[in-house]
Amino acid sequence: MKARVHVMLKEGVLDPQGEAVRHALGSLGFEGVNGVRQGKVIELDLAEGTSEARIAEMCEKLLANTVIESYRIETL
């Protein structure tokens, strides 16, 4: 079984990497990009039957800093 975890900074948390990407896009001539939020995707290869609750526990303990990041689990 596979799962994909999408981790993003929470709203209101400054995203300097996203701002750098937005600035770079403007410098390359891509007009109209008003904001960029950068995150990460973690792909997990898991034993069959691993519950979403178990994946959430992995996120809470290691994969995401839940003080400043939110996550979304996608099972594949």
Side-chain angles (χ1 to χ4, degrees):
M1 132 175 221
K2 293 188 183 282
R4 192 173 288 144
V5 178
H6 301 264
V7 181
M8 296 288 293
L9 289 171
K10 290 180 177 179
E11 290 297 320
V13 176
L14 295 178
D15 185 353
Q17 288 179 313
E19 185 58 24
V21 170
R22 186 196 64 76
H23 179 73
L25 288 170
S27 295
L28 292 171
F30 294 100
E31 305 282 329
V33 179
N34 296 323
V36 175
R37 302 287 291 173
Q38 184 165 321
K40 58 188 171 189
V41 175
I42 302 165
E43 292 192 1
L44 302 169
D45 191 2
L46 303 162
E48 285 301 322
T50 302
S51 69
E52 191 165 319
R54 187 71 170 156
I55 300 168
E57 185 180 1
M58 293 176 198
C59 293
E60 296 285 331
K61 290 188 175 183
L62 177 68
L63 302 178
N65 177 351
T66 56
V67 173
I68 61 169
E69 295 174 321
S70 59
Y71 62 88
R72 179 176 53 87
I73 298 167
E74 174 187 6
T75 53
L76 308 171

